[in-house]
Amino acid sequence: MFRADPELDRAVGRALVLARDLGHPRTGSEHLLLALTHLTGHAEAIREAVDQAAPLGAGAAADRAALKTLGIDFDQLMAGVRLDRPPAREPLFPLGAAKARARCARLDPPLGLDAQAAFEASLRFALARRERRHGPEHLALVLVALDPGVAWVLDTARVDRTALVHDLARRFPPPRRNPVLRWERRLGSAIRHRDLVARYQRTTGRTTTSSVAAFITD
């Protein structure tokens, strides 16, 4: 039976506390990363980079850096624009997505769309791997592999993102319970990965930085 690891809930709780203690107005993907430094390492460097990303968050910092190369002033462009505005229409499944977004918005500080999307993607990643549990390692892998804000944090902290994601994948490989499971997982990995990425990008409005497809199968 598939289950959620209580440690994952505790990690999200730590992220909320970290954002609040730092005086940040939102809990973003960078705070989730900071709450998982027992898996990723580089705690001090990541914490400093996370603080630099405030108040708009690491995703906005990544957007600002990307637009600067095009000669576009991000802050002027975003003046008066509401951050973390949910999609106008949520997918039909899973049911209750709009209510879940509303609950996230009521947290203190609110859980940003980037953090929500990363959490959702990590759940789909664990399911695609045919894991029996959804744990903090799945969230760490998805954050480091996919999230542009986390990529900005790691770059600012001078952490090799590619090396880190491969280290996480090595330490937390997919289950190898039987040949049938491995065959089925390999057969469906491409479509499950496309769905995972599409949902992440639809929620955040940002393009993923790389792929986790290689880490679904063994």
Side-chain angles (χ1 to χ4, degrees):
M1 181 181 293
F2 188 80
R3 63 183 178 84
D5 188 331
E7 181 55 34
L8 184 60
D9 290 335
R10 286 191 281 271
V12 175
R14 284 197 301 273
L16 290 163
V17 170
L18 286 163
R20 191 160 54 243
D21 289 350
L22 288 167
H24 296 175
R26 65 188 296 278
T27 305
S29 57
E30 68 272 20
H31 299 101
L32 292 177
L33 177 70
L34 187 56
L36 294 168
T37 50
H38 62 290
L39 298 179
T40 64
H42 311 285
E44 286 304 316
I46 287 173
R47 187 183 183 94
E48 290 178 10
V50 167
D51 214 19
Q52 288 181 43
L56 298 183
D63 294 341
R64 183 183 290 109
L67 290 173
K68 185 177 180 179
T69 64
L70 302 175
I72 299 173
D73 187 325
F74 171 83
D75 296 299
Q76 184 177 6
L77 183 68
M78 294 296 291
V81 176
R82 174 190 163 196
L83 286 177
D84 296 316
R85 184 175 182 176
R89 292 181 59 189
E90 295 286 357
L92 180 59
F93 296 104
L95 298 174
K99 290 183 178 179
R101 300 247 186 262
R103 285 196 298 272
C104 290
R106 291 194 297 269
L107 294 173
D108 179 26
L111 193 66
L113 286 180
D114 52 347
Q116 295 176 46
F119 188 92
E120 293 163 13
S122 70
L123 171 59
R124 293 182 180 280
F125 177 61
L127 290 169
R129 280 179 147 203
R130 296 301 187 248
E131 301 269 13
R132 288 176 172 163
R133 50 180 283 284
H134 178 208
E137 68 274 18
H138 304 118
L139 181 56
L141 262 165
V142 163
L143 283 167
V144 175
L146 296 185
D147 189 79
V150 165
W152 181 91
V153 166
L154 294 174
D155 184 59
T156 302
R158 298 186 178 181
V159 176
D160 187 328
R161 186 175 66 88
T162 301
L164 178 56
V165 75
H166 282 283
D167 177 61
L168 288 167
R170 177 188 58 79
R171 287 158 53 201
F172 303 107
R176 303 185 66 178
R177 290 194 290 275
N178 59 67
V180 174
L181 169 73
R182 293 160 65 187
W183 175 83
E184 189 277 337
R185 183 171 57 207
R186 190 173 293 114
L187 186 67
S189 64
I191 190 168
R192 290 172 189 139
H193 183 262
R194 281 198 301 271
D195 180 60
L196 179 158
V197 168
R199 286 174 179 266
Y200 174 91
Q201 293 183 160
R202 185 179 188 279
T203 299
T204 63
R206 296 187 176 106
T207 303
T208 56
T209 49
S210 60
S211 166
V212 290
F215 312 126
I216 290 175
T217 61
D218 50 1

